[in-house]
Amino acid sequence: MFVAGAAGDIHGGGITPTEVRKIVQALRGFEWLMEGDGWFWLGPDQHNRALITTRKVLAVAGQKVDIESLHQAFCRSRRLTYDEDRDNYPIELPWQVMREVLARSPDLKTIQKNDFELSAALDPRDVLNESERAIYDIADRHGGIVSRRTLDEGTVKAGLFSVMNLQLMLQASPIFERVEWG
C-alpha cells in the first residue's frame, strides 16, 4: 500500500496495490518479508538504512546486539529526517520486518533469531561519519561512557562542533544512547 500510494503520488494518478504487487514480484531479487502485511525487499542494497544503521551499531558494540536495541538505534537515526526528507517517504519500519531484513543480510550472523552480530569484524571508523567518529573517539578514550561535560570539552570547546551540532548528533546518531542517571 505504501508503494502504491507513493507511485500514485509521483505519477499523479491512482495505482492499486494489486498492480504494484504484480510489478514488484517480477523484479529481480524480490522476496516477501511478510506477505500478509505487504512487506517485501529486493535484496541487500548499499542504501538500506536498516543495514547501514545496524553495521554502525554492531561495529561500535563489538558483540551481538538484540533486535530491539537495533530497532531503537534505527528509530533514533531516523528522527532528524522524518519530516524534512521529501525524497523518501517516512514509513515506520516495524522491528519484526527489520529482523527479517537483517536475517537476509550476508554481512550479518543471526543468533537465536533475535540477536545479530557482524560476520566479519569491522572497524567502527570505517562505517561512522566524521562527526560520529569524533564523538566515538572521545567516548572510546573514556571506556565507552562519557559525560556531556566531557563531550562539550572535547568537541565544542575544541572548536569541532557548535553546541547545537553536538546536540543534534547525539540525538540522531544510532550509536549513542543517552543515560539520564547512572
Side-chain angles (χ1 to χ4, degrees), residues 42-115:
L42 302 173
D45 180 335
Q46 296 208 346
H47 302 292
N48 184 312
R49 292 180 59 119
L51 292 174
I52 291 168
T53 300
T54 298
R55 282 187 200 103
K56 286 182 177 190
V57 172
L58 292 175
V60 168
Q63 64 184 18
K64 70 180 181 177
V65 177
D66 66 40
I67 189 63
E68 289 85 3
S69 295
L70 293 170
H71 187 257
Q72 289 170 3
F74 176 77
C75 290
R76 281 193 307 274
S77 73
R78 186 76 173 128
R79 283 188 188 142
L80 267 186
T81 59
Y82 188 85
D83 290 328
E84 300 160 5
D85 189 355
R86 296 296 174 213
D87 293 333
N88 296 307
Y89 290 86
I91 299 168
E92 293 300 327
L93 179 68
W95 70 263
Q96 296 89 340
V97 175
M98 186 172 172
R99 179 189 62 213
E100 295 301 317
V101 168
L102 301 182
R104 288 164 172 78
S105 172
D107 298 344
L108 305 175
K109 288 194 301 189
T110 307
I111 301 164
Q112 296 181 352
K113 191 175 181 178
N114 281 340
D115 293 333

Side-chain angles (χ1 to χ4, degrees), residues 3 19-32 40 42:
V3 176
E19 292 170 320
V20 168
R21 228 181 177 139
K22 288 178 185 175
I23 293 167
V24 298
Q25 285 178 317
L27 296 173
R28 189 181 67 200
F30 174 86
E31 184 179 350
W32 284 114
F40 64 91
L42 302 173

